[in-house]
Amino acid sequence: MAPRSQRVLAAAAIVLGIASVAIALVSLVQDFPAGLFVLLLDLVAITAAWHGVLRRGAQRLIWLVVAVLAIAAAIAVLVGSHWVQTALVVIFAVGAVGCARAALVSRVRLAPVPAPTHPVLIFNPKSGGGKATKFRLAEEARRRGIEPHEMVLGKDLQETVEELLAQGADAVAVAGGDGTQALVATVAARAGIPYACIPAGTRNHFALDLGVDRDDVVGALDAFVDGGERIVDLAEVNGRVFVNNVSVGLYGDAVARAGYRDAKIRTLLDTLPQVAGPESQGLPLQWREPDGSSHDGGLALLISNNVYRLGRIVGSGTRPSLEDGKLGVSVIAPDAGVGDGMVKRWSLPEMEVPGESPIAVGIDGEAMTLTPPLRFRMLPGALRVRIAAQHPGCSPSAGLPDAALPSVALLAGLALTGRR
């Protein structure tokens, strides 16, 4: 049975959603054809913005100005007609989404396991803007009987973990970004020892999908005190393990550029015209569908450790499961065929990306260059993960439907009966 607070939030989400739709429909009927004009302006803004990011210099500026003017005109039409109704539609819609997200928070109670006798913590003091130092992770680890070890610049991280295991460590936690998490998880999986993810990086995507509370950095250390255990998959490309995904194409090319770390958005915008603009030659991207058909070109190819949930209001950008044993594949290309617009998606346990020259890739956000073919495969049930008892223990999208109507039905059932 769900807590009363979740039932109230579910009911609020439904009421606010209905109110938002009702007001929008009434306004559309009263202002016809102004509503259609607003929709047309929105389409113009989206089209102009897309043309803008694919170009450089004066052409980019002109297209982006057109996009801004179209948005301003749409706002002017809305405000000039029924601004109160428009404001209410936006407020109620935002409120409905916020309540739905809070109501559908997933939690699982992991089976308790014995605490390790000699756990260690490896931390990167600079990761995530210095979170390890800010939260005094070394001191907090010692309070819990966990031996802290600061990463040493220039020393191989996996070698450090192996030395600690040789000295008697029987569990390892790591505080750092997802690239660091992958390196330590590789050794932990190979040794068959428990691993804990401490969300001290910048984004902490792996922590989110594991069910670690990213806002509770210190509390994540309790994984080795009273935590439960879950067994999750890893994946690898050409022998290198990754915990989240490998990007080939636009993002892989951008990550490999010198200025990416200091200016990520700017670097991506500078890369777009070169790989997808009207004068570009495109990327030498090759990919095969599950039926064996080959394709050349495309904007991006993303291969992930299990399948991401995309394009949904609740839980989008997360993986419902890390135990399905399948790679998630997403291709953005004009000839992607069946799928969401230019995006085609599928899943399979292994795949190969051909090529004729070294390929720039982003592996868990880290830039690398690999020699093709790129061979991807799953490592099912490879990693024993410990998670603190007070943390969710599962992804935000775990157990959520993919479609809108089943999601509304889930909210209604939660509000009326308290059951999901």
Side-chain angles (χ1 to χ4, degrees), residues 182 186 233-237 240-246 303-305 327 363-364 376-378:
T186 301
D233 304 333
L234 295 174
E236 68 174 21
V237 53
R240 182 185 177 92
V241 168
F242 59 94
V243 295
N244 293 328
N245 56 67
V246 176
I303 299 95
S304 58
N305 169 23
L327 299 164
I363 302 180
D364 290 332
F376 294 85
R377 71 183 184 101
M378 290 298 300

Side-chain angles (χ1 to χ4, degrees), residues 124 127 151 157-158 174-187 195 197 201-207 240-245 261 362-368:
N124 180 351
S127 183
M151 288 174 56
L157 179 56
Q158 292 186 330
V174 57
D178 287 328
T180 300
Q181 299 289 344
L183 291 173
V184 176
T186 301
V187 181
Y195 150 94
C197 177
T202 302
R203 303 298 180 191
N204 305 299
H205 292 300
F206 191 44
R240 182 185 177 92
V241 168
F242 59 94
V243 295
N244 293 328
N245 56 67
R261 289 294 176 190
I363 302 180
D364 290 332
E366 302 291 333
M368 290 194 68

Side-chain angles (χ1 to χ4, degrees), residues 310-312 331 336-345:
L310 301 175
R312 303 291 183 265
V331 179
V338 180
D340 301 324
M342 294 194 307
V343 180
K344 181 166 182 137
R345 304 179 63 209

Side-chain angles (χ1 to χ4, degrees), residues 16 86 120 127 129 133 135 141 161 187 218 235 279 348 353 362 377 405:
L16 290 172
T86 301
V120 297
S127 183
T133 302
F135 292 106
V161 179
V187 181
V218 173
E279 299 179 1
L348 69 179
V353 176
R377 71 183 184 101
L405 288 179

Side-chain angles (χ1 to χ4, degrees), residues 151-316:
M151 288 174 56
V152 178
L153 183 65
K155 184 174 182 179
D156 184 80
L157 179 56
Q158 292 186 330
E159 181 182 332
T160 298
V161 179
E162 288 168 352
E163 289 176 357
L164 293 172
L165 297 186
Q167 295 168 11
D170 62 350
V172 57
V174 57
D178 287 328
T180 300
Q181 299 289 344
L183 291 173
V184 176
T186 301
V187 181
R190 187 186 306 140
I193 64 170
Y195 150 94
C197 177
I198 311 302
T202 302
R203 303 298 180 191
N204 305 299
H205 292 300
F206 191 44
L208 178 65
D209 290 338
L210 286 173
V212 176
D213 185 346
R214 296 185 295 178
D215 296 323
D216 186 18
V217 179
V218 173
L221 294 168
D222 292 334
F224 287 157
V225 178
D226 62 356
E229 183 171 286
R230 58 181 294 196
I231 309 298
V232 304
D233 304 333
L234 295 174
E236 68 174 21
V237 53
N238 288 14
R240 182 185 177 92
V241 168
F242 59 94
V243 295
N244 293 328
N245 56 67
V246 176
S247 301
V248 185
L250 170 65
Y251 183 73
D253 190 77
V255 169
R257 302 191 178 211
Y260 177 77
R261 289 294 176 190
D262 297 325
K264 295 182 180 180
I265 300 299
R266 182 188 302 172
T267 305
L268 282 169
L269 289 175
D270 288 342
T271 305
L272 257 173
Q274 297 178 22
V275 302
E279 299 179 1
S280 73
Q281 298 298 317
L283 289 166
L285 185 62
Q286 300 179 40
W287 47 282
R288 293 194 185 102
E289 296 190 54
D291 62 7
S293 58
S294 298
H295 299 263
D296 290 319
L299 191 58
L301 174 63
L302 182 78
I303 299 95
S304 58
N305 169 23
N306 283 276
V307 180
Y308 278 95
R309 176 186 173 97
L310 301 175
R312 303 291 183 265
I313 293 177
V314 179
S316 181

Side-chain angles (χ1 to χ4, degrees), residues 44 217 406 416:
V44 170
V217 179
L416 296 173

